[in-house]
Amino acid sequence: MKQTEIGLLPEDWDVINLEKNFTLKARIGWQGLTTAEYLDNGNYGLVTGTDFKGGYIDWDNCVFVEKMRFDQDRNIQLKNGDVLVTKDGTIGKIAYVDFLPKPTTLNSGVFVVRPKSNSISNRFFYYVLMSFYFDDFLLKITAGSTITHLYQKDFVNFNFVCPPLPEQEAIAEALSDADAWIESLEQLIAKKRLIKQGAMQELLSPKEDWEVKKLGEVATISGGGTPSTFVSKYWNGDIEWFTPTEVGYVKYLYSSKRKISDAGLKNSSATVLPINTILLTSRAGIGDLGILKIEACTNQGFQSIICNDTVDVEFIYYLMSTKKEELLKNASGSTFLEISPNKVKSLEIIIPSFTEQTHIATILSDMDVELEALEGQLGKARKVKQGMMQELLTGRVRLV
């Protein structure tokens, strides 16, 4: 190993400069396109910074331009293997051009960065830009400011690690395999979500023998409250206290961000809700849901559902997840939309027998368990890739 300006590196690795080893090209400012020139269809694509997604180009999001605009600058006509970097707006987003569906050019907010020689792998350089090396560089040049432009005069000063070409290619291949693993999981999760969506539509559609009820007939609707924030003894106790921003991301709720004390509970309109209460947000994102797995209370942004023993809690959770649009239509308010407890109570639901409710809920719950497991695998895959980048791009692990 040897000491360099960016840390310890293997003896046969170099630190190289962007300006000396790459060309940076972008559309000249006066040639920039206006949105009025964007076409919905055409033979010539246009990539803008809004088309970057997960390190690649979302071709389905791209617009099109006239041939004259494509021909204006040959230097920004894209090629397979090009590395793109956003220079305006959200600066420093990266995309790799892994294929070109049509001849494509760039708008003025994007750099195309190409090595000057065959001694540098485009794919390897892409992973360098996706790594902590480039993140640190951007932090230094922005220095806590709200800069919305990545200027060429700054970008050319980027220095990065560069092993011999065979190792560059080996590193790029290993990280590409990790990307493929992540992408396969993302595609599988998307497919499973669509299957679940179809299952919900089929299973929750009313059948002939289902019964029409008001939600208030099968459940108690309970609001919440907030202790005075000026009284410190009302806070930091051991009573869970949820706000709407914490609900709608996961099915089961086990812990809140903030907690109130017994004194806070007694001196507010908050009430302790039993386990298996369905929290339903009634403002600031109406219709988000979660099932309590601990006793807890909420602020006043909820109309929570305490089911009686004639209905299955899990079934009502899934059924209510289809009612968001109806809840929004019933909301009112001048400052912000809110749905009242009476509107929630009078919400019409159509339900089967308790046994059928349980069967439907079990099927949908099993799907949720499978999705949760896949999400966990995806999270692990992303962490593995980050660990690989940390090891491979510093030379601590060699691929030779």
Side-chain angles (χ1 to χ4, degrees):
M1 303 293 279
K2 63 183 177 184
Q3 186 64 47
T4 70
E5 62 190 83
I6 53 179
L8 281 173
L9 294 176
E11 283 286 352
D12 56 344
W13 286 32
D14 293 314
V15 176
I16 67 173
N17 171 255
L18 187 74
E19 184 174 30
K20 293 178 181 177
N21 295 276
F22 287 80
T23 61
L24 273 75
K25 298 294 180 181
R27 182 174 289 273
I28 299 169
W30 62 268
Q31 292 182 354
L33 286 87
T34 64
T35 54
E37 296 179 83
Y38 294 175
L39 306 175
D40 291 333
N41 289 290
N43 295 319
Y44 300 92
L46 178 75
V47 167
T48 72
T50 60
D51 303 323
F52 288 40
K53 183 180 179 182
Y56 297 89
I57 300 299
D58 180 5
W59 296 108
D60 292 333
N61 190 57
C62 289
V63 294
F64 301 86
V65 291
E66 297 287 353
K67 183 177 187 300
M68 178 272 291
R69 285 302 209 172
F70 174 77
D71 289 336
Q72 265 183 322
D73 189 344
R74 292 181 63 187
N75 291 315
I76 57 171
Q77 292 173 1
L78 295 186
K79 306 171 186 175
N80 278 318
D82 275 342
V83 178
L84 308 181
V85 183
T86 54
K87 60 192 280 287
D88 295 322
T90 305
I91 65 172
K93 293 197 307 184
I94 315 299
Y96 184 77
V97 180
D98 54 348
F99 78 102
L100 278 169
K102 289 187 177 183
T104 302
T105 186
L106 297 174
N107 207 350
S108 54
V110 181
F111 283 121
V112 56
V113 191
R114 295 174 176 135
K116 294 177 180 178
S117 75
N118 293 329
S119 63
I120 299 173
S121 158
N122 282 31
R123 190 76 164 170
F124 171 79
F125 178 65
Y126 159 75
Y127 284 114
V128 168
L129 290 180
M130 292 289 284
S131 76
F132 52 91
Y133 287 120
F134 193 54
D135 289 341
D136 292 345
F137 174 76
L138 289 176
L139 283 173
K140 286 176 184 175
I141 64 173
T142 55
S145 67
T146 55
I147 292 174
T148 56
H149 302 285
L150 176 58
Y151 296 104
Q152 185 159 337
K153 66 180 177 65
D154 294 321
F155 192 12
V156 294
N157 293 318
F158 177 54
N159 295 327
F160 65 93
V161 298
C162 194
L165 182 60
E167 192 165 2
Q168 292 177 44
E169 292 171 340
I171 290 170
E173 184 178 357
L175 294 175
S176 294
D177 288 345
D179 276 344
W181 176 29
I182 290 168
E183 185 182 4
S184 68
L185 285 169
E186 288 172 339
Q187 290 176 349
L188 182 57
I189 288 168
K191 180 181 177 181
K192 294 290 185 181
R193 282 178 178 156
L194 285 173
I195 292 171
K196 182 194 167 188
Q197 186 179 341
M200 285 183 68
Q201 189 171 351
E202 174 63 27
L203 294 170
L204 297 175
S205 294
K207 312 299 186 291
E208 286 186 10
D209 58 339
W210 288 27
E211 190 176 2
V212 178
K213 294 277 189 180
K214 301 290 186 185
L215 184 60
E217 294 180 64
V218 298
T220 301
I221 307 303
S222 179
T226 303
S228 172
T229 55
F230 297 105
V231 183
S232 59
K233 69 178 182 178
Y234 292 169
W235 297 90
N236 301 317
D238 55 8
I239 300 172
E240 308 287 343
W241 181 81
F242 285 91
T243 64
T245 58
E246 299 172 76
V247 176
Y249 306 102
V250 294
K251 180 179 178 181
Y252 297 121
L253 303 170
Y254 293 93
S255 179
S256 60
K257 291 179 181 177
R258 299 187 68 186
K259 295 174 175 55
I260 62 174
S261 64
D262 287 331
L265 180 65
K266 291 173 183 175
N267 289 278
S268 71
S269 56
T271 57
V272 176
L273 301 167
I275 292 171
N276 284 332
T277 296
I278 301 170
L279 300 194
L280 170 69
T281 58
S282 58
R283 61 169 75 160
I286 294 171
D288 291 332
L289 300 162
I291 301 176
L292 284 180
K293 285 301 169 184
I294 35 85
E295 291 185 344
C297 51
T298 72
N299 75 358
Q300 55 270 45
F302 293 86
Q303 296 299 334
S304 297
I305 304 165
I306 307 170
C307 295
N308 64 32
D309 56 10
T310 65
V311 289
D312 182 277
V313 170
E314 302 261 340
F315 175 84
I316 296 298
Y317 167 84
Y318 288 115
L319 186 63
M320 289 302 297
S321 71
T322 69
K323 300 288 186 181
K324 191 165 189 173
E325 189 175 336
E326 189 175 347
L327 291 167
L328 285 167
K329 286 179 181 176
N330 281 285
S332 60
S334 54
T335 307
F336 52 81
L337 287 177
E338 183 171 15
I339 188 163
S340 69
N342 286 335
K343 290 284 188 182
V344 176
K345 288 176 187 176
S346 62
L347 190 72
E348 188 176 274
I349 59 173
I350 307 175
I351 57 176
S353 67
F354 187 86
T355 301
E356 190 173 352
Q357 290 177 41
T358 304
H359 288 162
I360 291 170
T362 299
I363 292 168
L364 296 177
S365 293
D366 288 345
M367 289 182 168
D368 275 339
V369 169
E370 185 180 16
L371 276 167
E372 187 178 349
L374 288 170
E375 292 281 5
Q377 289 180 40
L378 179 59
K380 288 178 182 176
R382 287 174 174 157
K383 287 180 180 179
V384 167
K385 182 192 167 186
Q386 286 300 313
M388 288 172 65
M389 292 179 76
Q390 189 74 35
E391 296 296 304
L392 295 176
L393 295 176
T394 57
R396 289 200 289 264
V397 171
R398 303 294 304 274
L399 296 181
V400 291

